[in-house]
Amino acid sequence: RRCKVGSEIPKPGSKIKLVGKKPFGCVCEVTQENESFVTDSGACISDGVRWQSLYLVLLGKHMVLVEPGDSGGYGRVVTSCPLSCLQAQPYDIMINQTQDATHAQRLQLIHHSPELLPPGLFVIDMADEEERNNNDEVRITTSRLDLWFENANAAVKAHKNLCSRIVKARAERGREIRDALANDVRSRFQSLFVS
């Protein structure tokens, strides 16, 4: 099953074309809790930790993590989430120190949502979980995912692109509601809008 850009939310397991996109190569740690989301292709074990090669792809209003696929330029969707629910925090990025600029760099993704379950690969923040259990107000689930990039340059590029798309997605959310309210006001008070 292949996913068309803009036609639907990319579902885990579907295939998307990577050619013509701007995929950012990264890896993430695969734990027992989230190993069902990935296949063994592109995985390696180092010091007892299983790492999965992924591409971070920005598709429309979604951030998608994709396993490298066949030579035809397609990849398998591992997880996706709306950009407007994300926050990206860079860690350990040291561009000015050339010796550290060549080391792997981490980018932490934080997902906030009223949904109880986080997107695949994301892990619920346990401090948030305790607070949610002690509070009767609106419950927002906070979850996190660490992505590792080859070096500081790759991490900075991914972070800048991701942050600019997050800002754009947040600015556009609610537009349909505003448009519907504006149309409702116009239909109720037509005499005010006659020229």
Side-chain angles (χ1 to χ4, degrees):
R1 195 175 97 215
R2 301 227 163 123
C3 180
K4 295 179 184 175
V5 178
S7 64
E8 60 185 47
I9 298 170
K11 302 281 187 232
S14 63
K15 301 263 184 193
I16 63 169
K17 191 169 188 168
L18 297 173
V19 176
K21 313 267 184 300
K22 198 189 258 185
F24 300 96
C26 58
V27 297
C28 77
E29 181 179 348
V30 178
T31 62
Q32 286 182 337
E33 293 82 22
N34 60 26
E35 68 183 5
S36 63
F37 293 105
V38 297
T39 63
D40 285 334
S41 68
C44 70
I45 297 176
S46 175
D47 296 327
V49 177
R50 182 175 171 198
W51 296 95
Q52 178 67 44
S53 291
L54 297 169
Y55 286 115
L56 183 151
V57 180
L58 304 173
L59 280 180
K61 296 179 182 181
H62 291 84
M63 185 273 316
V64 184
L65 293 175
V66 181
E67 285 181 332
D70 57 15
S71 59
Y74 285 88
R76 181 186 162 276
V77 174
V78 175
T79 190
S80 68
C81 61
L83 285 163
S84 60
C85 295
L86 279 180
Q87 182 180 353
Q89 293 183 342
Y91 281 88
D92 307 321
I93 296 180
M94 300 181 186
I95 300 169
N96 298 331
Q97 300 172 357
T98 55
Q99 65 186 30
D100 289 335
T102 60
H103 295 275
Q105 301 292 312
R106 177 172 62 156
L107 179 63
Q108 185 177 61
L109 301 180
I110 302 169
H111 182 265
H112 304 281
S113 174
E115 301 290 328
L116 293 177
L117 295 175
L121 297 180
F122 282 76
V123 177
I124 292 179
D125 186 332
M126 294 316 288
D128 179 60
E129 183 69 17
E130 290 173 17
E131 185 178 317
R132 283 188 328 141
N133 291 333
N134 296 325
N135 197 341
D136 290 334
E137 296 177 14
V138 174
R139 296 179 183 206
I140 301 295
T141 301
T142 300
S143 55
R144 300 175 188 278
L145 173 65
D146 288 339
L147 295 178
W148 290 86
F149 294 84
E150 182 179 9
N151 54 39
N153 189 37
V156 167
K157 283 181 182 177
H159 182 250
K160 284 182 177 181
N161 277 276
L162 189 55
C163 285
S164 68
R165 293 289 294 274
I166 288 170
V167 168
K168 183 178 178 184
R170 287 182 181 169
E172 291 177 356
R173 69 180 169 190
R175 183 175 38 184
E176 291 178 14
I177 293 172
R178 287 190 301 270
D179 291 346
L181 290 173
N183 287 336
D184 183 51
V185 168
R186 283 193 177 132
S187 66
R188 292 172 125 193
F189 304 102
Q190 291 178 354
S191 62
L192 294 175
F193 296 98
V194 176
S195 31

